Amino acid sequence: MTLETRLAALTSWHHDWSELRVAVLGLGPVGFSVADTLVELGARVRVIAEDADADRDRLLDVIGAERFADADPAARLADLAAFDPELVVPVPELRLDDPLSEWAGAHGVTVWGDIELGWRLRDKTPRIADWLCVTGTNGKTTTVQLTAHMLAAGGLRVTPAGDNETPILDVLRDPQGYDAIVVELSGFQLARLGEISPYASACLNFAEDHLDWHGSADAAWAAKAKIYENTQIACVYNREDASTERMVEQADVVEGARAISFGIDTPPPSGFGIVEGILVDRGFHEDRRGEAFELVTVEELSQHGLASPHSAHNVLAAAALARSRGVTPGEVAQAVLSFAQQPHRTERLADRAGLRWIDDAAATNAHAADAALRTLKDVVWILGGVQTSTDLSGLVAAHEHRLRGAVVIGAQRAEVLAALRQHLGERPVTEVSSGELDASGVLDAAVAAAVAMAQPGDTVLFSPAAAPGDQFSGTAERGRLFQAAVSELE
């Protein structure tokens, strides 16, 4: 049997993975989960990473994986070549044009992402879960959590998975198994998706983001569009976003799979939307051309902090996914009204210093910040970080009438400052240079600057429109430090 034939045939946890030489490129939660899983299956695993996390490095010794860590790309490449892998599994964030990935392609070595590997190993227990997959530029995590909460209300054993906090391979090794897994997929993961067949799938929205990683807007769109390939039951798309509708139109799906739209307007047949202040389902009603199931009211959403347009979109998309798996309208409503939002997503904090404070630290791009800004007025905006978006000037222009002023943090401030000064005229713009400040000090200074320029009753919005990598370990840390800085105010 050739190596190519052997790899193609490895489609089950119960197949023979022993002695397969696998290079895992990168560590972190996903890289460790890949290594841990493959070692359990008997493969010979070597983790090759830029740096080594002390705890995970120690655990690699415990599980019996080899590893090589070096900041020099040439040294990592030499180690990969010397290992001569039969299979390469990169962590999601590793670029397609990374030298190690390119080496694998040039030498004909098979490359799988963690999601493709997970799909092949989904049968460890007899209880094989349906996968409901979610992507989009923004709203993924909330929609995934909402969908899982709805499925649980319908009596299913379910979990969210797919991101760095809950790698898919960790979930698949649960000894009890699951009825359904709601899989959050980034564009990075989709670029290396391979062949999977989701029960249902959704792309919530599409905006040009992470173009430095994908290489072009077309490549970023094509990666997101993979979410719909081989979908079995329902392709859920945003009818207010033509890009997602085009993805569904061009997808090669399982015969009989339906296109189900969502939006905050009156829905067409096979759609979810809002009619006279009520969220409704016309997608799964027997008489969907003439009738609809009522879910929850907009007023009820408002009482639970979910009435903003982007939150309502998330609720409707989650409802469509859950209904496709048989959850009843009443169970959907029960789940929505008992849902606790994840922190740092337009999270309203206690009023301090005569101002309203909103923590939207999870906003890593312009599209997310746009959703937060469009619901507010008289805003002092704290923003900045590692830029992933292309149209900051357009974002500022769209919302300049809402802004009292702005405070800019992060190392990549020049483009942000230029856009703000172009559109805000004489309104104040303050920059906070990290200099001698640590991450906590940066946000203490930003909060102080916001207080100085705000007027009583204004809203201070921390919505960075950028990734956190230059100053913070992640969105959770920058949100936590922002909240700590606000809590110190009188």
Side-chain angles (χ1 to χ4, degrees):
M1 180 187 297
T2 66
L3 174 61
E4 183 179 2
T5 302
R6 182 190 178 194
L7 288 171
L10 289 175
T11 58
S12 168
W13 183 277
H14 306 289
H15 289 165
D16 182 10
W17 297 77
S18 62
E19 298 305 314
L20 185 71
R21 290 194 311 281
V22 185
V24 179
L25 307 182
L27 195 48
V30 171
F32 182 82
S33 74
V34 170
D36 193 23
T37 300
L38 289 168
V39 167
E40 183 178 345
L41 287 163
R44 180 186 169 192
V45 178
R46 187 167 182 84
V47 176
I48 302 172
E50 184 173 346
D51 50 33
D53 173 273
D55 289 338
R56 292 196 181 94
D57 196 45
R58 177 180 56 79
L59 288 171
L60 290 175
D61 275 339
V62 172
I63 66 173
E66 305 171 24
R67 82 277 196 209
F68 177 80
D70 199 302
D72 180 6
R76 297 197 300 276
L77 184 57
D79 188 79
L80 176 65
F83 181 62
D84 189 24
E86 297 167 300
L87 172 67
V88 167
V89 183
V91 295
E93 60 269 20
L94 193 74
R95 292 168 60 114
L96 298 174
D97 61 359
D98 178 86
L100 276 69
S101 293
E102 291 189 327
W103 180 92
H107 289 79
V109 179
T110 298
V111 178
W112 294 342
D114 68 301
I115 300 300
E116 179 174 3
L117 179 60
W119 181 256
R120 290 168 178 264
L121 298 174
R122 68 191 186 280
D123 64 345
K124 183 178 182 182
T125 72
R127 192 181 199 175
I128 302 174
D130 294 321
W131 287 23
L132 292 83
C133 295
V134 179
T135 193
T137 304
N138 291 293
K140 295 186 293 295
T141 300
T142 299
T143 302
V144 164
Q145 297 286 344
L146 272 164
T147 305
H149 197 53
M150 292 174 185
L151 293 172
L156 301 180
R157 187 166 197 267
V158 60
T159 185
D163 61 2
N164 258 327
E165 294 183 13
T166 316
I168 187 70
L169 289 162
D170 288 351
V171 165
L172 291 170
R173 289 183 289 163
D174 185 293
Q176 295 183 57
Y178 290 94
D179 301 311
I181 302 171
V182 189
V183 187
E184 178 178 341
L185 295 177
S186 69
F188 306 154
Q189 289 168 309
L190 286 162
R192 293 190 178 98
L193 185 63
E195 288 195 13
I196 71 171
S197 184
Y199 181 91
S201 54
C203 183
L204 306 176
N205 41 61
F206 175 76
E208 296 181 5
D209 192 28
H210 295 296
L211 299 191
D212 59 332
W213 195 97
H214 289 284
S216 69
D218 287 344
W221 183 90
K224 288 285 199 298
K226 289 182 180 181
I227 194 83
Y228 293 115
E229 292 298 315
N230 303 310
T231 296
Q232 300 171 31
I233 300 298
C235 296
V236 176
Y237 71 94
N238 183 347
R239 64 175 171 271
E240 298 171 29
D241 187 331
S243 292
T244 70
E245 185 171 12
R246 184 161 55 95
M247 290 174 189
V248 174
E249 291 171 348
Q250 296 185 14
D252 186 8
V253 302
V254 173
E255 176 108 19
R258 294 178 54 208
I260 305 292
S261 72
F262 68 90
I264 57 174
D265 56 349
T266 300
S270 293
F272 283 62
I274 301 178
V275 177
E276 297 180 351
I278 301 171
L279 277 68
V280 299
D281 161 16
R282 292 186 70 185
F284 295 96
H285 199 291
E286 288 186 4
D287 180 20
R288 58 180 179 271
R289 295 194 175 277
E291 300 290 338
F293 290 113
E294 295 185 2
L295 301 175
V296 294
T297 68
V298 172
E299 176 60 30
E300 288 172 323
L301 289 188
S302 181
Q303 292 169 6
H304 290 79
L306 293 169
S308 65
H310 67 277
S311 293
H313 276 112
N314 295 340
V315 171
L316 289 162
L321 290 166
R323 291 282 292 129
S324 78
R325 187 56 178 76
V327 179
T328 68
E331 290 163 344
V332 167
Q334 172 192 336
V336 172
L337 300 181
S338 62
F339 179 70
Q341 287 203 75
Q342 296 295 299
H344 315 305
R345 290 172 170 83
T346 58
E347 182 180 354
R348 172 76 182 270
L349 308 181
D351 290 1
R352 297 274 183 169
L355 306 172
R356 291 198 306 160
W357 297 85
I358 295 178
D359 172 11
D360 192 37
T364 58
N365 53 50
H367 196 262
D370 173 76
L373 284 162
R374 65 175 58 245
T375 63
L376 303 172
K377 62 180 182 178
D378 299 328
V379 177
V380 174
W381 183 17
I382 302 174
L383 71 159
V386 177
Q387 296 304 316
T388 64
S389 303
T390 58
D391 190 21
L392 281 174
S393 181
L395 175 66
V396 178
H399 297 290
E400 61 85 15
H401 63 289
R402 307 178 192 278
L403 299 178
R404 182 80 66 191
V407 181
V408 182
I409 64 173
Q412 299 178 1
R413 298 190 300 278
E415 182 182 353
V416 184
L417 290 165
L420 289 165
R421 287 168 176 156
Q422 175 187 357
H423 296 289
L424 295 194
E426 299 300 315
R427 281 168 282 180
V429 176
T430 299
E431 61 176 309
V432 176
S433 173
S434 55
E436 300 298 317
L437 299 174
D438 60 11
S440 178
V442 166
L443 286 175
D444 286 342
V447 164
V451 171
M453 69 176 64
Q455 297 182 16
D458 283 357
T459 296
V460 180
L461 171 68
F462 181 38
S463 188
D470 64 333
Q471 292 176 319
F472 309 97
S473 63
T475 58
E477 184 191 44
R478 71 181 177 188
R480 177 178 58 79
L481 293 177
F482 173 70
Q483 293 196 16
V486 173
S487 70
E488 294 298 318
L489 297 173
E490 295 296 329

